């Protein structure tokens, strides 16, 4: 079905009310194989109307103006071409906060909230969590969420992508924590200085971990739209773990913690790498709400 056909659908009285437009939008998206057509139609109509998704249900019989209908059809057309909803609306919720996102950053995933949750659970008596380093901050979702939860924390957040850091800065400002996060551009630890050795209480990272050869098998909406720099973890997907574990202990304080997101149930492999580094205690593995191994936590040996 072409976008022209969708436009002609607008003449259809079916498209006139919020209720009818939602039904039609859902139909059109499901015909194009979109995985969550109802949810996406709601988010996109909410965006076209500049209201929250929940508010649509308070005015289901409301009549849409031509302008709103045109806007909705344009948004449906973008979704139909595979563009992720978050890039279309420029927003994704993470840790109950609205994050600005662009195609320069990975869309923050709900599973990654476990990383924040686990980091916040590290008992204060073990580590003060006063100085936190996030590597590969992307949209800033992790660093900003931690900053909103720990008013005493100072955070350093790095990324190789200058464009991603611009997005992260917007999010830090949006949530009022820009004075407590320093954004540094560069490769892993490269932007840090000599005097940062032994400085951090907590190091946290959701690294690129998709094996290079598997990228072409990812859903097209990830493969074609999300930055490869945020996905590609090298031949076996473990390159970043090896590199981080090579240097992490140097920048962590005496009993500092390393918190890493992992993918594809790679807990055993990443735990082996942690143990082989010889600078951390045996790590703990946490599963996400889908039951998959998602987070590895390791305490630095004093
Ligand atoms: C999987 S994304 C995580 C983004 C964000 N922290 C999140 O959880 O949504 C990995 C991030 O690492 C960044 N990155 C990739 N290679 C890097 C490197 N060598 N040094 C620093 N950051 C890097 C990417 O630009 C991307 O923002």
């Amino acid at each position: 079905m072409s976008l022209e056909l969708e436009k002609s659908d607008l003449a259809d009285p079916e498209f006139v009310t919020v209720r009818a437009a939602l039904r039609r939008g859902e139909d059109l998206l499901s015909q194009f194989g979109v995985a969550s057509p109802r949810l996406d139609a709601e988010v996109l109509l909410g965006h076209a109307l500049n209201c929250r998704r929940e508010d649509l249900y308070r005015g289901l019989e409301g009549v849409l103006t031509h302008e709103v209908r045109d806007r909705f059809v344009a948004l449906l057309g973008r979704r139909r071409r595979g563009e992720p909803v978050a890039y279309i609306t420029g927003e994704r919720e993470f840790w109950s906060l609205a994050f600005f996102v662009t195609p320069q950053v990975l869309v923050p995933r709900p599973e990654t909230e476990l990383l924040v949750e686990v980091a916040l659970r590290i008992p204060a008596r073990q580590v003060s969590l006063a100085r936190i380093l996030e590597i590969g901050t992307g949209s800033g979702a992790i660093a900003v969420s931690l900053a909103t939860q720990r008013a005493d924390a100072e955070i350093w957040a790095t990324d190789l992508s200058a464009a991603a850091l611009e997005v992260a800065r917007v999010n830090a400002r949006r949530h009022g924590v820009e004075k407590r996060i320093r954004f540094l551009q560069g490769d892993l630890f490269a932007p840090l200085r000599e005097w940062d050795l032994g400085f951090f209480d907590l190091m946290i990272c959701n690294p690129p971990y998709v094996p290079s050869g598997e990228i072409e098998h990812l859903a097209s909406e990830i493969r074609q739209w999300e930055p490869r720099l945020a996905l590609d973890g090298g031949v076996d997907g473990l390159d970043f773990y090896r590199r981080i574990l090579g240097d992490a202990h140097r920048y962590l304080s005496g009993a500092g913690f390393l918190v890493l997101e992992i993918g594809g149930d790679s807990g055993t492999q990443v735990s082996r790498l942690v143990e082989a580094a010889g600078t951390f205690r045996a790590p703990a593995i946490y599963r996400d709400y889908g039951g998959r191994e998602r987070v590895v936590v390791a305490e630095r040996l004093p």
Side-chain angles (χ1 to χ4, degrees):
M1 191 178 285
S2 72
L3 188 57
E4 281 15 92
L5 256 178
E6 287 172 25
K7 272 190 175 142
S8 71
D9 278 333
L10 286 187
D12 187 336
E14 273 279 294
F15 238 118
V16 169
T17 61
V18 168
R19 184 193 300 279
L22 282 177
R23 196 166 43 220
R24 202 71 193 98
E26 181 183 0
D27 283 352
L28 288 167
L29 292 180
S30 65
Q31 280 166 29
F32 290 107
V34 169
S36 48
R38 179 69 187 190
L39 174 66
D40 291 7
E42 289 175 359
V43 174
L44 295 178
L45 186 56
H47 189 61
L49 279 162
N50 199 18
C51 72
R52 291 179 318 153
R53 186 161 70 89
E54 306 81 82
D55 296 336
L56 295 174
Y57 284 88
R58 287 200 205 107
L60 280 174
E61 304 314 324
V63 174
L64 302 177
T65 63
H66 283 286
E67 201 191 13
V68 169
R69 282 189 269 167
D70 281 352
R71 223 180 293 147
F72 184 43
V73 164
L75 299 175
L76 289 172
R78 286 171 68 181
R79 183 69 191 112
R80 195 185 58 117
R81 286 188 285 275
E83 189 171 350
V85 172
Y87 293 151
I88 298 175
T89 61
E91 206 162 274
R92 172 51 56 95
E93 190 180 298
F94 181 88
W95 200 259
S96 300
L97 301 169
F99 281 86
F100 168 57
V101 292
T102 71
Q104 275 69 49
V105 299
L106 187 91
V107 176
R109 306 294 204 266
E111 309 86 83
T112 301
E113 292 183 357
L114 183 63
L115 211 64
V116 177
E117 209 177 303
V118 166
L120 292 172
R121 257 193 258 150
I122 295 173
R125 65 186 150 72
Q126 267 176 280
V127 60
S128 70
L129 291 191
R131 293 190 288 226
I132 300 173
L133 171 66
E134 190 200 357
I135 294 172
T137 195
S139 63
I142 296 171
V144 169
S145 301
L146 284 171
T148 63
Q149 297 297 297
R150 291 285 159 137
D152 56 334
E154 272 190 281
I155 301 180
W156 282 252
T158 74
D159 206 291
L160 191 55
S161 161
L165 288 175
E166 282 311 307
V167 173
R169 280 192 189 97
V170 169
N171 283 316
R173 277 197 298 277
R174 186 182 264 205
H175 297 294
V177 292
E178 74 275 17
K179 293 210 171 73
R180 288 190 290 116
I181 306 181
R182 268 164 254 194
F183 292 102
L184 308 170
Q185 195 255 323
D187 180 24
L188 298 189
F189 302 98
L192 301 176
R193 305 290 157 86
E194 272 303 292
W195 55 83
D196 294 327
L197 291 171
F199 185 70
F200 297 102
D201 302 304
L202 174 76
M203 197 178 285
I204 190 161
C205 180
N206 172 16
Y209 54 64
V210 182
S212 311
E214 284 179 22
I215 289 184
E216 61 179 300
H217 304 299
L218 292 174
S220 70
E221 99 177 47
I222 301 174
R223 189 182 70 233
Q224 290 179 351
W225 289 92
E226 301 206 64
R228 194 178 170 108
L229 188 65
L231 301 171
D232 194 342
V235 175
D236 62 358
L238 300 174
D239 277 7
F240 282 87
Y241 302 98
R242 290 191 192 89
R243 291 188 59 204
I244 290 168
L245 284 163
D247 276 324
H249 67 285
R250 301 175 57 227
Y251 292 96
L252 278 171
S253 62
F257 278 80
L258 177 63
V259 179
L260 298 168
E261 178 163 328
I262 57 169
D265 284 327
S266 57
T268 308
Q269 286 165 295
V270 173
S271 295
R272 277 202 200 111
L273 293 176
V274 172
E275 280 165 30
T279 43
F280 290 89
R281 293 187 198 284
I285 300 172
Y286 293 82
R287 288 178 187 273
D288 62 24
Y289 298 106
R292 307 197 71 186
E293 293 177 344
R294 185 60 63 190
V295 177
V296 168
V297 179
E299 184 183 353
R300 184 189 186 280
L301 285 167

